[in-house]
Coordinates of all heavy atoms in Angstrom, one line a residue:
A5 N -1.9 4.7 -5.4 CA -3.2 4.1 -5.5 C -3.5 3.3 -4.2 O -4.6 3.3 -3.7 CB -3.2 3.1 -6.7
K7 N -2.3 4.0 -1.2 CA -2.6 4.9 -0.1 C -4.0 5.5 -0.2 O -4.7 5.7 0.8 CB -1.6 6.1 -0.1 CG -0.2 5.6 0.2 CD 0.8 6.8 0.0 CE 2.2 6.3 0.4 NZ 3.2 7.4 0.1
I8 N -4.5 5.8 -1.4 CA -5.8 6.2 -1.6 C -6.8 5.2 -1.2 O -7.8 5.4 -0.5 CB -6.1 6.6 -3.1 CG1 -5.2 7.9 -3.4 CG2 -7.6 6.9 -3.3 CD1 -5.3 8.2 -4.9
I13 N -10.7 2.9 2.7 CA -11.1 1.9 3.7 C -11.3 2.5 5.0 O -12.2 2.1 5.8 CB -10.0 0.8 3.7 CG1 -10.1 0.0 2.4 CG2 -10.3 -0.2 4.8 CD1 -8.9 -1.0 2.2
L15 N -12.2 5.5 5.7 CA -13.5 6.3 5.7 C -14.7 5.4 5.9 O -15.6 5.7 6.6 CB -13.6 7.1 4.5 CG -12.6 8.3 4.3 CD1 -12.7 8.9 3.0 CD2 -12.9 9.3 5.4
V38 N -32.6 4.9 14.5 CA -31.6 5.8 14.2 C -31.9 6.7 13.1 O -31.8 8.0 13.1 CB -30.2 5.1 13.9 CG1 -29.2 6.1 13.5 CG2 -29.8 4.4 15.2
P61 N -24.3 13.0 19.8 CA -23.2 13.9 20.3 C -22.0 13.1 20.8 O -20.9 13.6 20.5 CB -23.9 14.6 21.5 CG -25.3 14.6 21.2 CD -25.6 13.2 20.5
A68 N -14.0 13.5 16.8 CA -13.2 14.7 16.8 C -12.0 14.6 17.7 O -10.9 15.0 17.3 CB -14.0 15.9 17.2
A82 N 7.3 13.7 14.9 CA 8.2 14.3 13.9 C 9.1 15.4 14.4 O 10.3 15.4 14.1 CB 7.3 14.9 12.8
S90 N 4.0 11.6 22.4 CA 2.5 11.9 22.3 C 2.1 12.8 23.4 O 2.8 13.0 24.4 CB 1.8 10.6 22.4 OG 1.6 10.1 23.7
D115 N -17.4 27.5 33.8 CA -17.8 27.9 32.5 C -16.9 27.3 31.5 O -15.7 27.4 31.5 CB -17.7 29.5 32.3 CG -18.1 29.9 31.0 OD1 -19.3 29.8 30.6 OD2 -17.2 30.3 30.2
I122 N -8.2 27.7 29.9 CA -7.3 27.2 31.0 C -6.6 25.9 30.5 O -5.5 25.7 30.9 CB -8.2 27.0 32.2 CG1 -8.7 28.3 32.8 CG2 -7.5 26.2 33.3 CD1 -9.8 28.2 33.8
V134 N 8.7 21.1 28.5 CA 9.3 19.9 27.9 C 10.3 20.3 26.8 O 11.4 19.8 26.7 CB 8.3 18.9 27.4 CG1 8.9 17.8 26.6 CG2 7.5 18.3 28.6
G144 N 20.7 20.5 20.2 CA 19.3 21.0 20.1 C 18.4 20.0 20.8 O 18.8 19.3 21.8
R149 N 16.1 13.4 26.1 CA 15.8 14.4 27.1 C 14.3 14.7 27.0 O 13.7 15.1 28.1 CB 16.7 15.6 26.8 CG 18.1 15.5 27.2 CD 18.8 16.8 27.2 NE 20.2 16.7 27.6 CZ 21.2 16.4 26.8 NH1 21.0 16.3 25.5 NH2 22.5 16.3 27.3
L160 N 5.0 15.6 38.1 CA 4.7 16.9 38.7 C 3.2 17.2 38.7 O 2.6 17.5 39.7 CB 5.5 18.0 38.0 CG 5.2 19.4 38.5 CD1 5.7 19.6 40.0 CD2 6.0 20.4 37.7
D178 N -16.7 16.7 40.9 CA -16.7 17.7 39.8 C -15.7 17.5 38.8 O -15.8 18.0 37.6 CB -16.6 19.1 40.4 CG -17.7 19.5 41.4 OD1 -18.8 19.0 41.1 OD2 -17.5 20.3 42.3
W206 N -6.3 21.2 12.8 CA -6.3 20.2 11.6 C -5.8 20.9 10.4 O -5.0 20.3 9.6 CB -7.7 19.7 11.4 CG -8.3 18.9 12.6 CD1 -7.6 18.3 13.6 CD2 -9.7 18.8 12.9 NE1 -8.5 17.7 14.5 CE2 -9.8 18.0 14.1 CE3 -10.9 19.2 12.2 CZ2 -11.0 17.7 14.6 CZ3 -12.1 18.8 12.8 CH2 -12.2 18.1 14.0
M219 N 11.8 17.9 9.2 CA 12.2 17.8 10.6 C 12.5 16.4 11.0 O 13.4 16.2 11.9 CB 11.0 18.3 11.5 CG 10.9 19.8 11.6 SD 12.3 20.6 12.2 CE 12.4 19.9 13.9
G228 N 19.9 23.2 7.0 CA 20.6 23.3 5.8 C 19.8 23.4 4.5 O 20.2 23.9 3.5
S251 N -9.0 18.8 23.3 CA -9.5 17.5 23.6 C -9.7 17.2 25.1 O -10.7 16.7 25.6 CB -8.6 16.4 23.0 OG -8.5 16.5 21.6
A253 N -10.1 19.5 27.4 CA -11.2 20.4 27.9 C -12.5 19.7 27.8 O -13.4 19.9 28.6 CB -11.2 21.7 27.1
V265 N -2.0 5.3 16.9 CA -2.5 5.6 15.6 C -1.3 6.0 14.6 O -1.3 5.4 13.5 CB -3.6 6.7 15.6 CG1 -4.0 7.0 14.2 CG2 -4.8 6.2 16.4
I281 N -1.0 12.7 7.9 CA -1.9 13.6 8.6 C -3.4 13.2 8.3 O -4.2 13.0 9.2 CB -1.7 15.1 8.2 CG1 -0.3 15.5 8.8 CG2 -2.8 15.9 8.8 CD1 -0.2 15.5 10.3
C284 N -4.1 9.8 10.0 CA -4.3 10.0 11.4 C -5.7 10.5 11.8 O -6.3 10.1 12.8 CB -3.2 10.9 12.0 SG -1.6 10.0 12.2
V308 N -17.0 1.7 31.5 CA -15.6 2.0 31.8 C -15.3 3.3 31.1 O -15.6 3.5 29.9 CB -14.6 0.9 31.3 CG1 -13.2 1.3 31.5 CG2 -14.9 -0.4 32.1
F322 N 2.8 0.4 23.8 CA 3.9 1.3 24.3 C 5.1 0.5 24.8 O 6.2 0.9 24.5 CB 3.3 2.2 25.4 CG 4.3 3.2 25.9 CD1 4.6 4.4 25.3 CD2 5.0 2.9 27.1 CE1 5.5 5.3 25.8 CE2 5.9 3.8 27.6 CZ 6.2 5.0 26.9

Side-chain angles (χ1 to χ4, degrees):
K7 291 174 182 176
I8 294 173
I13 292 172
L15 291 171
V38 173
S90 78
D115 181 69
I122 291 168
V134 168
R149 287 191 178 89
L160 175 64
D178 296 331
W206 299 336
M219 283 300 298
S251 298
V265 177
I281 295 297
C284 282
V308 173
F322 180 81

